[in-house]
PDB file of all heavy atoms in Angstrom:
ATOM      1  N   PHE X 185      18.756   5.589 -65.344  1.00 98.00           N
ATOM      2  CA  PHE X 185      19.628   6.215 -66.323  1.00 98.00           C
ATOM      3  C   PHE X 185      21.078   5.817 -66.069  1.00 98.00           C
ATOM      4  O   PHE X 185      21.562   5.926 -64.932  1.00 98.00           O
ATOM      5  CB  PHE X 185      19.500   7.741 -66.256  1.00 98.00           C
ATOM      6  CG  PHE X 185      18.104   8.250 -66.409  1.00 98.00           C
ATOM      7  CD1 PHE X 185      17.399   8.718 -65.313  1.00 98.00           C
ATOM      8  CD2 PHE X 185      17.476   8.247 -67.653  1.00 98.00           C
ATOM      9  CE1 PHE X 185      16.110   9.202 -65.448  1.00 98.00           C
ATOM     10  CE2 PHE X 185      16.186   8.704 -67.808  1.00 98.00           C
ATOM     11  CZ  PHE X 185      15.496   9.190 -66.705  1.00 98.00           C
ATOM     12  N   PRO X 186      21.802   5.395 -67.122  1.00 97.00           N
ATOM     13  CA  PRO X 186      23.219   5.092 -66.942  1.00 97.00           C
ATOM     14  C   PRO X 186      24.017   6.290 -66.448  1.00 97.00           C
ATOM     15  O   PRO X 186      24.973   6.130 -65.670  1.00 97.00           O
ATOM     16  CB  PRO X 186      23.662   4.676 -68.353  1.00 97.00           C
ATOM     17  CG  PRO X 186      22.406   4.255 -69.049  1.00 97.00           C
ATOM     18  CD  PRO X 186      21.323   5.105 -68.474  1.00 97.00           C
ATOM     19  N   ASP X 187      23.610   7.477 -66.878  1.00 98.00           N
ATOM     20  CA  ASP X 187      24.269   8.716 -66.457  1.00 98.00           C
ATOM     21  C   ASP X 187      23.194   9.724 -66.041  1.00 98.00           C
ATOM     22  O   ASP X 187      22.691  10.490 -66.874  1.00 98.00           O
ATOM     23  CB  ASP X 187      25.116   9.290 -67.585  1.00 98.00           C
ATOM     24  CG  ASP X 187      25.913  10.525 -67.161  1.00 98.00           C
ATOM     25  OD1 ASP X 187      25.784  10.934 -65.990  1.00 98.00           O
ATOM     26  OD2 ASP X 187      26.648  11.060 -68.012  1.00 98.00           O
ATOM     27  N   PRO X 188      22.813   9.743 -64.763  1.00 98.00           N
ATOM     28  CA  PRO X 188      21.741  10.644 -64.334  1.00 98.00           C
ATOM     29  C   PRO X 188      22.056  12.121 -64.579  1.00 98.00           C
ATOM     30  O   PRO X 188      21.139  12.923 -64.748  1.00 98.00           O
ATOM     31  CB  PRO X 188      21.627  10.350 -62.828  1.00 98.00           C
ATOM     32  CG  PRO X 188      22.169   8.984 -62.659  1.00 98.00           C
ATOM     33  CD  PRO X 188      23.268   8.874 -63.680  1.00 98.00           C
ATOM     34  N   VAL X 189      23.327  12.491 -64.593  1.00 98.00           N
ATOM     35  CA  VAL X 189      23.694  13.881 -64.822  1.00 98.00           C
ATOM     36  C   VAL X 189      23.302  14.325 -66.220  1.00 98.00           C
ATOM     37  O   VAL X 189      22.868  15.470 -66.435  1.00 98.00           O
ATOM     38  CB  VAL X 189      25.212  14.088 -64.584  1.00 98.00           C
ATOM     39  CG1 VAL X 189      25.642  15.496 -64.994  1.00 98.00           C
ATOM     40  CG2 VAL X 189      25.568  13.816 -63.137  1.00 98.00           C
ATOM     41  N   ALA X 190      23.424  13.425 -67.194  1.00 98.00           N
ATOM     42  CA  ALA X 190      23.181  13.774 -68.585  1.00 98.00           C
ATOM     43  C   ALA X 190      21.738  13.522 -69.028  1.00 98.00           C
ATOM     44  O   ALA X 190      21.360  13.920 -70.137  1.00 98.00           O
ATOM     45  CB  ALA X 190      24.123  12.980 -69.485  1.00 98.00           C
ATOM     46  N   ALA X 191      20.947  12.861 -68.216  1.00 98.00           N
ATOM     47  CA  ALA X 191      19.572  12.529 -68.573  1.00 98.00           C
ATOM     48  C   ALA X 191      18.622  13.684 -68.286  1.00 98.00           C
ATOM     49  O   ALA X 191      18.941  14.608 -67.529  1.00 98.00           O
ATOM     50  CB  ALA X 191      19.120  11.273 -67.813  1.00 98.00           C
ATOM     51  N   LEU X 192      17.438  13.621 -68.896  1.00 98.00           N
ATOM     52  CA  LEU X 192      16.426  14.664 -68.700  1.00 98.00           C
ATOM     53  C   LEU X 192      15.353  14.121 -67.757  1.00 98.00           C
ATOM     54  O   LEU X 192      14.531  13.302 -68.153  1.00 98.00           O
ATOM     55  CB  LEU X 192      15.802  15.070 -70.047  1.00 98.00           C
ATOM     56  CG  LEU X 192      16.759  15.655 -71.087  1.00 98.00           C
ATOM     57  CD1 LEU X 192      16.003  16.013 -72.368  1.00 98.00           C
ATOM     58  CD2 LEU X 192      17.496  16.876 -70.528  1.00 98.00           C
ATOM     59  N   TRP X 193      15.379  14.580 -66.510  1.00 99.00           N
ATOM     60  CA  TRP X 193      14.393  14.137 -65.525  1.00 99.00           C
ATOM     61  C   TRP X 193      14.051  15.285 -64.603  1.00 99.00           C
ATOM     62  O   TRP X 193      14.786  16.271 -64.473  1.00 99.00           O
ATOM     63  CB  TRP X 193      14.866  12.925 -64.732  1.00 99.00           C
ATOM     64  CG  TRP X 193      16.249  13.015 -64.122  1.00 99.00           C
ATOM     65  CD1 TRP X 193      17.410  12.533 -64.625  1.00 99.00           C
ATOM     66  CD2 TRP X 193      16.596  13.633 -62.853  1.00 99.00           C
ATOM     67  NE1 TRP X 193      18.460  12.800 -63.783  1.00 99.00           N
ATOM     68  CE2 TRP X 193      17.998  13.477 -62.689  1.00 99.00           C
ATOM     69  CE3 TRP X 193      15.855  14.295 -61.870  1.00 99.00           C
ATOM     70  CZ2 TRP X 193      18.678  13.945 -61.570  1.00 99.00           C
ATOM     71  CZ3 TRP X 193      16.523  14.780 -60.749  1.00 99.00           C
ATOM     72  CH2 TRP X 193      17.908  14.612 -60.607  1.00 99.00           C
ATOM     73  N   LEU X 194      12.904  15.129 -63.947  1.00 99.00           N
ATOM     74  CA  LEU X 194      12.396  16.166 -63.026  1.00 99.00           C
ATOM     75  C   LEU X 194      11.684  15.483 -61.869  1.00 99.00           C
ATOM     76  O   LEU X 194      10.756  14.697 -62.080  1.00 99.00           O
ATOM     77  CB  LEU X 194      11.444  17.104 -63.770  1.00 99.00           C
ATOM     78  CG  LEU X 194      10.859  18.281 -62.991  1.00 99.00           C
ATOM     79  CD1 LEU X 194      11.943  19.316 -62.676  1.00 99.00           C
ATOM     80  CD2 LEU X 194       9.730  18.935 -63.803  1.00 99.00           C
ATOM     81  N   VAL X 195      12.121  15.771 -60.661  1.00 98.00           N
ATOM     82  CA  VAL X 195      11.402  15.351 -59.454  1.00 98.00           C
ATOM     83  C   VAL X 195      10.499  16.493 -59.032  1.00 98.00           C
ATOM     84  O   VAL X 195      10.962  17.630 -58.876  1.00 98.00           O
ATOM     85  CB  VAL X 195      12.386  15.014 -58.303  1.00 98.00           C
ATOM     86  CG1 VAL X 195      11.619  14.668 -57.034  1.00 98.00           C
ATOM     87  CG2 VAL X 195      13.317  13.861 -58.714  1.00 98.00           C
ATOM     88  N   LEU X 196       9.218  16.208 -58.878  1.00 98.00           N
ATOM     89  CA  LEU X 196       8.291  17.284 -58.544  1.00 98.00           C
ATOM     90  C   LEU X 196       7.199  16.749 -57.620  1.00 98.00           C
ATOM     91  O   LEU X 196       6.918  15.563 -57.578  1.00 98.00           O
ATOM     92  CB  LEU X 196       7.673  17.899 -59.798  1.00 98.00           C
ATOM     93  CG  LEU X 196       6.712  17.080 -60.663  1.00 98.00           C
ATOM     94  CD1 LEU X 196       6.071  18.005 -61.728  1.00 98.00           C
ATOM     95  CD2 LEU X 196       7.377  15.916 -61.353  1.00 98.00           C
TER      96      LEU X 196
END
Side-chain angles (χ1 to χ4, degrees):
F185 304 106
D187 185 359
V189 172
L192 300 180
W193 50 263
L194 183 69
V195 176
L196 69 171

